Amino acid sequence: MKHFVTKDKQSISQFALGTMNLPLDDREELSEIIRLAFESGINYFDTADLYQYGKNEAVIGSILFDYGQFFDYNIGTKVGNEFDAALREKIKWNPSAEYIKHAVSQSKLRLSRDVIDLLMLHGGTVHDNMDETIREFESLKRKGDIKSYGISTTRKNVIDYYTENSDISVLMAPLNIIDNRSEEYLSDDYVFLARGPLMQGLLTENYDVALKTKFKHGYMGYSQDELREIILMIKEYGYPLEAIAYKYLMNKNVVIVQGVSTVSQLKKNLRHYETAKTIRDEVIEDICSKVEKKHYKEHRDPKTVTHQEDNDKKNVLKKLRKKISQP
């Protein structure tokens, strides 16, 4: 499996495991998922202190610690959401240096790690004291509490500030062949971690269920019917939707952060990942030419907002309908 290396020399497998939906209460199933991940070449596991209010870190950390004598791995976690573990509730957004320092010490205990490989700010706004947060990240790095740091956000104004004023090694944001808004954030300055690669099940064989349950009111300006048209167009290329989704991200040279909840789901996703390697680049380029290029309109300088999507949406949908109607 291909690996990316951050500016801080952290190795991240191209296919990474998101842990938020892992079966924490089924130790046998969870252990089997982690074992399969390692045996398949996955070496990066993504969690956050807020997931299950610390329980995710603790359980995943314990399992990974058991496998640590056999496999090398890197784990990334996130910080910034102050919570009460006992009450199982979020208290407030808190990116202060004092809280980050405290949260990192707790995460290290839960993860059974002396040092955290990758620490990400779990959000962020331009109203934060971003310089204070950056100084604390740099301090934690110098002291050896973390090896590298980054941010997980979609806010362009926040991304711009951290890119220009810090030494982030990764950026995490949603990205897939339909929700392509984060394409503008791709950069050689950091490794991009793409979450939501299958778009909440829309880019899977169960797309019809996703359309009826999660996208019944549409998404990103698309109606439910327009989303269905895009899916049917992609299916015409003859490959599983999942494989198309992964190939798109592979061509973007990003890390695919895929969450699972069962062993069978991970096996299926890994098969689609292997199939993706057989898909020609021209197939993805052709599909992308028929999908609107979207952009985040909020949390940015209004002068930089592009209106391309407003100008060409009708033309894109017209091409989709014409292709689908062809015998």
Side-chain angles (χ1 to χ4, degrees):
M1 182 180 293
K2 179 177 179 178
H3 286 70
F4 297 90
V5 179
T6 71
K7 62 180 65 174
D8 302 304
K9 309 303 180 185
Q10 303 302 300
S11 172
I12 301 179
S13 49
Q14 184 176 53
F15 195 98
L17 190 66
T19 69
M20 185 170 67
N21 296 316
L22 289 177
L24 303 183
D25 295 323
D26 188 339
R27 185 92 180 183
E28 183 176 350
E29 179 85 357
L30 176 57
S31 182
E32 184 67 11
I33 291 172
I34 301 298
R35 182 194 62 77
L36 175 60
F38 277 126
E39 292 179 349
S40 302
I42 294 172
N43 80 334
Y44 179 74
F45 300 85
D46 182 80
T47 184
D49 59 0
L50 188 63
Y51 296 167
Q52 292 85 36
Y53 304 101
K55 182 178 179 180
N56 193 284
E57 284 185 327
V59 176
I60 300 304
S62 174
I63 295 283
L64 290 175
F65 182 81
D66 291 342
Y67 279 102
Q69 58 183 316
F70 307 107
F71 300 96
D72 292 326
Y73 68 92
N74 288 318
I75 188 164
T77 192
K78 307 179 191 75
V79 69
N81 292 290
E82 187 174 348
F83 61 91
D84 188 310
L87 295 178
R88 297 181 61 77
E89 64 181 21
K90 179 179 173 179
I91 297 174
K92 63 180 178 179
W93 171 245
N94 190 350
S96 69
E98 181 180 4
Y99 179 69
I100 290 174
K101 186 183 303 180
H102 166 75
V104 166
S105 68
Q106 295 302 302
S107 287
K108 287 198 300 180
L109 290 173
R110 289 190 292 263
L111 292 169
S112 302
R113 303 281 279 183
D114 294 327
V115 57
I116 293 175
D117 300 303
L118 173 61
L119 180 69
M120 282 178 276
L121 186 67
H122 204 174
T125 76
V126 290
H127 304 296
D128 300 337
N129 188 336
M130 292 186 281
D131 290 330
E132 177 184 339
T133 301
I134 292 168
R135 284 195 299 269
E136 183 56 30
F137 280 156
E138 290 289 351
S139 175
L140 289 166
K141 188 175 170 182
R142 286 194 305 271
K143 294 175 181 177
D145 290 309
I146 66 174
K147 294 180 181 178
S148 57
Y149 66 89
I151 53 175
S152 176
T153 186
T154 60
R155 294 180 171 93
K156 188 177 187 304
N157 47 18
V158 174
I159 293 169
D160 287 346
Y161 193 89
Y162 276 84
T163 301
E164 295 169 6
N165 297 281
S166 78
D167 199 28
I168 58 170
S169 62
V170 302
L171 168 65
M172 173 177 277
L175 180 64
N176 57 66
I177 199 167
I178 296 178
D179 186 356
N180 52 34
R181 290 175 292 180
S182 289
E183 278 192 12
E184 67 174 307
Y185 302 151
L186 302 180
S187 171
D188 293 334
D189 293 332
Y190 44 70
V191 173
F192 189 96
L193 310 180
R195 62 180 177 86
L198 301 182
M199 201 173 174
Q200 301 181 61
L202 186 61
L203 290 164
T204 72
E205 60 187 7
N206 297 317
Y207 69 91
D208 202 47
V209 174
L211 280 169
K212 293 176 180 177
T213 58
K214 300 175 182 177
F215 300 96
K216 58 184 177 182
H217 301 300
Y219 189 64
M220 297 189 304
Y222 291 120
S223 68
Q224 184 188 58
D225 288 340
E226 289 170 343
L227 287 172
R228 181 178 284 106
E229 288 180 7
I230 295 174
I231 292 298
L232 293 178
M233 177 273 292
I234 296 174
K235 282 175 61 65
E236 284 193 345
Y237 286 83
Y239 295 97
L241 289 169
E242 296 91 336
I244 289 286
Y246 291 154
K247 178 62 174 178
Y248 162 79
L249 293 172
M250 292 162 71
N251 282 7
K252 293 300 179 184
N253 212 33
V254 303
V255 174
I256 302 167
V257 181
Q258 180 64 65
V260 301
S261 56
T262 65
V263 173
S264 60
Q265 187 179 16
L266 179 56
K267 288 180 178 178
K268 183 186 297 184
N269 288 337
L270 287 169
R271 286 198 299 270
H272 289 309
Y273 172 71
E274 292 301 319
T275 299
K277 297 176 182 178
T278 69
I279 300 175
R280 292 179 294 109
D281 293 343
E282 291 79 6
V283 170
I284 303 302
E285 292 169 1
D286 197 43
I287 293 173
C288 288
S289 72
K290 298 166 186 170
V291 176
E292 252 188 285
K293 181 63 68 67
K294 294 282 190 175
H295 300 268
Y296 289 105
K297 296 180 179 180
E298 299 179 343
H299 308 292
R300 64 192 299 154
D301 181 349
K303 295 179 181 179
T304 67
V305 176
T306 176
H307 299 287
Q308 178 182 356
E309 61 188 52
D310 297 323
N311 295 330
D312 64 9
K313 180 175 181 179
K314 290 183 180 179
N315 292 332
V316 171
L317 292 174
K318 184 178 179 180
K319 284 195 293 183
L320 286 177
R321 294 188 180 107
K322 181 178 179 180
K323 183 171 180 61
I324 291 172
S325 64
Q326 290 176 346

